[in-house]
Amino acid sequence: TTFMSDYSLDLAQQGVSTLWGSFEIRNTRLAATLLRQMVGQPLDEQLVKFERWADEFERLPIYFMTFHGQQPIKVVMEAIEHAQYVHDIQHVIIDNLQFMMGMLEESKHLDRYWKQDAIIGAFRSFATRRNCHVTLVIHPRKERDTDELTTSSIFGGAKASQEADNVLLIQDKRLTSVRGKKYLQIAKNRYSGDLGIMPLDFDKASLSYAQRKRKADSGNDGSSHAVASVDQPQADSL
């Protein structure tokens, strides 16, 4: 969730209209995290600047669904379709799929894997029809701490990884090694094919994984390292 809020904020600052569906974390807490990531420091350290920060954040094209906890897929899809039409949404985030599925009374007799596949199919269809990027957060199955996550570790059937155009895995080796790190692995990249890993260094003050600007190196051109940006997601992808 922290990584996805960082990711969505960067895209929103590039003008990508974003719809958040946070079924696990309440919107007030999510918005506070996004605002803190935007300013790069705890909000209570500079309360005199809060109004200016809030105004800047309000101008970002970020919208929130009001759902929390388990919800029927039909109701969620109707809300997404309406928001996409009204606000020209380009990026939808569902965090997370398991919380949205829940254990509704009407579907308690359905196979859980079948239900998840049906939901993923609905999002895949929406992404194709509306030319909109959809990001689904799915918790992995329980694996041994020593084992790395793979696309097979995604909870549910194989449909999630098959339908997805991109699969990003967050690997955490801090509990199994003294020098263990957390890093992001690009496990599937349908359009460009580039795979690999990227270290995730967490800055607690800003609640962010983004690379902050450094002082200019002692190079001949005097250039400095700028903040790394996430490219706009390709449309019609999941």
Side-chain angles (χ1 to χ4, degrees):
T1 303
T2 304
F3 172 79
M4 277 313 306
S5 60
D6 227 358
Y7 175 83
S8 66
L9 176 64
D10 194 22
L11 289 172
Q13 289 173 326
Q14 297 177 57
V16 178
S17 187
T18 301
L19 177 65
W20 257 98
S22 179
F23 297 88
E24 183 176 4
I25 306 297
R26 293 198 176 275
N27 287 337
T28 50
R29 189 178 183 92
L30 175 61
T33 299
L34 284 162
L35 182 57
R36 184 166 171 177
Q37 289 173 335
M38 186 188 77
V39 302
Q41 64 186 70
L43 302 176
D44 54 2
E45 290 185 358
Q46 295 280 352
L47 289 177
V48 293
K49 297 181 180 178
F50 180 80
E51 297 250 354
R52 178 168 61 84
W53 290 338
D55 289 340
E56 289 179 16
F57 182 74
E58 197 173 23
R59 287 193 288 269
L60 292 175
I62 300 179
Y63 305 89
F64 300 90
M65 283 188 268
T66 56
F67 301 126
H68 185 262
Q70 58 189 26
Q71 298 293 334
I73 181 61
K74 182 180 178 181
V75 176
V76 175
M77 292 308 303
E78 287 176 353
I80 294 175
E81 294 264 8
H82 178 73
Q84 201 278 333
Y85 175 76
V86 173
H87 301 294
D88 194 23
I89 298 298
Q90 299 169 276
H91 185 201
V92 177
I93 301 170
I94 301 298
D95 181 28
N96 62 62
L97 189 62
Q98 283 97 326
F99 261 74
M100 192 194 80
M101 286 171 54
M103 292 297 292
L104 294 174
E105 182 69 20
E106 63 191 33
S107 59
K108 66 181 181 180
H109 300 298
L110 296 178
D111 180 81
R112 192 164 175 80
Y113 288 176
W114 180 91
K115 182 182 175 184
Q116 178 173 313
D117 287 351
I119 292 174
I120 290 172
F123 282 119
R124 174 74 261 185
S125 175
F126 166 79
T128 303
R129 284 185 296 104
R130 296 292 188 175
N131 199 32
C132 182
H133 188 92
V134 178
T135 300
L136 298 179
V137 179
I138 306 178
H139 287 314
R141 289 197 293 263
K142 296 296 182 183
E143 306 276 18
R144 290 183 299 181
D145 290 339
T146 54
D147 293 342
E148 288 196 345
L149 298 177
T150 66
T151 54
S152 300
S153 304
I154 298 174
F155 180 85
K159 190 176 181 67
S161 58
Q162 289 174 349
E163 293 282 7
D165 295 323
N166 313 290
V167 176
L168 307 180
L169 303 174
I170 296 182
Q171 306 278 8
D172 193 351
K173 294 302 175 184
R174 295 172 301 174
L175 298 178
T176 57
S177 173
V178 175
R179 297 185 179 180
K181 296 281 188 179
K182 178 183 281 192
Y183 58 91
L184 181 72
Q185 178 182 357
I186 302 173
K188 181 179 180 181
N189 190 347
R190 176 168 285 162
Y191 292 111
S192 69
D194 294 330
L195 306 178
I197 62 174
M198 181 181 73
L200 290 176
D201 294 319
F202 183 66
D203 179 47
K204 193 172 183 179
S206 62
L207 299 180
S208 176
Y209 291 106
Q211 298 175 18
R212 298 301 164 194
K213 290 183 179 179
R214 302 173 185 172
K215 294 181 180 179
D217 290 337
S218 56
N220 295 329
D221 59 354
S223 60
S224 59
H225 295 283
V227 178
S229 295
V230 180
D231 292 334
Q232 181 171 336
Q234 183 161 351
D236 180 24
S237 57
L238 180 68

